[in-house]
């Protein structure tokens, strides 16, 4: 089946007389479309000098544009946070329904991989936990091994974002370490650190020290309360 092609329509440019006639017939046009007034320039007859009114109008337009840009930024951030909240809620509900430590670790790894879609992640438990883990991103290490490689991260007892050292990256991400540019990591604690949750990105500037870690810290707090209560 073929389709008959038609020549594209070329928009006809309106003449000033047509615009004038239309506005005369619709005197309330700018009342219905006040946003167009911001685009209209009406210089006052003051010679080469700019009148005070004209300057005030120009400043107000600039401020209005700046406020709109800020508002758009706030709305964009709100949309991102809404999505993060929904993903976090789904993960927390899954964790609450999981009855063992291995299931919790696997659920977190699956969520980070498929729902949050982070590039790299690692969830490590410290101590003696005879668990069968299905995810390659979860593992169990001894206290001595953890202190030797990521002792500084564990002692911080809070979420950190930025670029880590080669040894820390290798311990957290294994074979993927050389592809990780920046990291957000938070210890799991109950009195002392018994694990660590880390996510990574190939962009060195993606996780910065100035960024917030609200959702990651919240997930870590939930894990810090759930894991110690569960049996192997």
């Amino acid at each position: 089946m073929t389709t008959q092609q038609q020549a594209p329509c070329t928009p006809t440019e309106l003449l000033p007389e047509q615009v004038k006639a239309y506005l005369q017939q619709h005197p309330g046009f700018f009342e219905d479309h006040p946003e167009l007034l911001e685009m209209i320039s009406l210089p006052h007859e003051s010679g080469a000098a700019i009148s005070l009114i004209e300057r005030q109008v120009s400043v107000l337009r600039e401020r209005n544009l700046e406020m709109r840009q800020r508002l758009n930024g706030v709305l964009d951030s709100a949309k991102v946070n809404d999505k993060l909240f929904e993903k976090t809620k789904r993960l927390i509900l899954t964790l609450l329904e999981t009855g063992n430590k291995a299931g919790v670790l696997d659920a977190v790894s699956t969520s980070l991989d498929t729902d949050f879609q982070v590039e790299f992640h690692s969830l490590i438990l410290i101590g003696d936990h005879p668990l069968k883990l299905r995810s390659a991103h979860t593992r169990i290490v001894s206290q001595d091994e953890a202190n030797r490689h990521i002792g500084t991260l564990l002692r911080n007892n809070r979420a950190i974002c930025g670029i880590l050292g080669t040894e820390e990256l290798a311990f957290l991400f294994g074979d993927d370490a050389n592809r990780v540019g920046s990291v957000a990591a938070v210890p799991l604690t109950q009195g002392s650190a018994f694990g660590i949750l880390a996510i990574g990105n190939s962009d060195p500037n993606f996780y910065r020290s100035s960024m917030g870690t609200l959702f990651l810290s919240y997930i870590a707090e939930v894990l810090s309360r759930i894991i110690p209560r569960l049996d192997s």
Side-chain angles (χ1 to χ4, degrees):
M1 181 182 297
T2 60
T3 303
Q4 185 177 1
Q5 295 183 347
Q6 296 180 350
C9 296
T10 302
T12 302
E13 183 177 353
L14 292 176
L15 298 175
E17 291 78 7
Q18 292 175 300
V19 176
K20 178 180 178 182
Y22 180 86
L23 293 177
Q24 288 175 336
Q25 295 173 9
H26 301 83
F29 178 80
F30 287 111
E31 293 180 2
D32 297 331
H33 305 279
E35 70 279 3
L36 296 178
L37 292 173
E38 300 177 8
M39 306 177 185
I40 297 176
S41 177
L42 296 175
H44 296 271
E45 296 181 359
S46 55
I50 299 177
S51 71
L52 177 60
I53 295 177
E54 187 176 352
R55 179 55 182 163
Q56 288 175 327
V57 170
S58 176
V59 170
L60 290 174
R61 284 177 176 168
E62 292 174 0
R63 289 181 179 176
N64 186 37
L65 178 60
E66 181 181 354
M67 291 303 297
R68 285 189 178 185
Q69 291 174 339
R70 289 184 180 181
L71 179 59
N72 289 336
V74 171
L75 293 176
D76 290 342
S77 296
K79 291 177 182 178
V80 171
N81 287 335
D82 283 344
K83 292 180 180 180
L84 285 175
F85 174 76
E86 287 299 324
K87 294 175 182 179
T88 303
K89 183 177 71 173
R90 285 195 293 269
L91 172 58
I92 299 306
L93 292 176
T94 300
L95 295 179
L96 292 175
E97 296 172 353
T98 304
N100 56 73
K101 292 179 182 178
V104 166
L105 268 62
D106 290 337
V108 173
S109 182
T110 299
S111 177
L112 292 175
D113 191 31
T114 61
D115 203 6
F116 287 89
Q117 295 183 339
V118 298
E119 274 195 271
F120 310 100
H121 72 274
S122 174
L123 179 54
I124 298 174
L125 285 189
I126 301 170
D128 184 16
H129 303 277
L131 307 178
K132 291 184 178 180
L133 303 176
R134 294 190 296 268
S135 172
H137 304 288
T138 60
R139 72 182 197 275
I140 300 167
V141 301
S142 68
Q143 186 70 59
D144 289 341
E145 189 178 2
N147 289 338
R148 186 165 63 253
H149 296 284
I150 56 170
T152 302
L153 299 180
L154 298 176
R155 287 191 294 272
N156 276 335
N157 200 27
R158 58 181 177 82
I160 62 97
C161 293
I163 299 175
L164 299 183
T166 303
E167 184 176 355
E168 293 170 325
L169 288 175
F171 184 79
L172 291 174
F173 299 103
D175 294 338
D176 292 327
N178 61 344
R179 297 192 291 140
V180 178
S182 57
V183 176
V186 56
L188 310 181
T189 61
Q190 190 184 56
S192 59
F194 67 87
I196 189 168
L197 172 62
I199 55 178
N201 192 278
S202 55
D203 183 355
N205 297 313
F206 191 85
Y207 296 115
R208 303 179 305 276
S209 58
S210 59
M211 74 182 301
T213 57
L214 175 63
F215 290 98
L216 184 65
S217 296
Y218 178 60
I219 293 172
E221 287 182 13
V222 173
L223 291 174
S224 295
R225 286 161 174 77
I226 290 179
I227 291 177
R229 298 177 183 177
L230 297 175
D231 297 328
S232 301

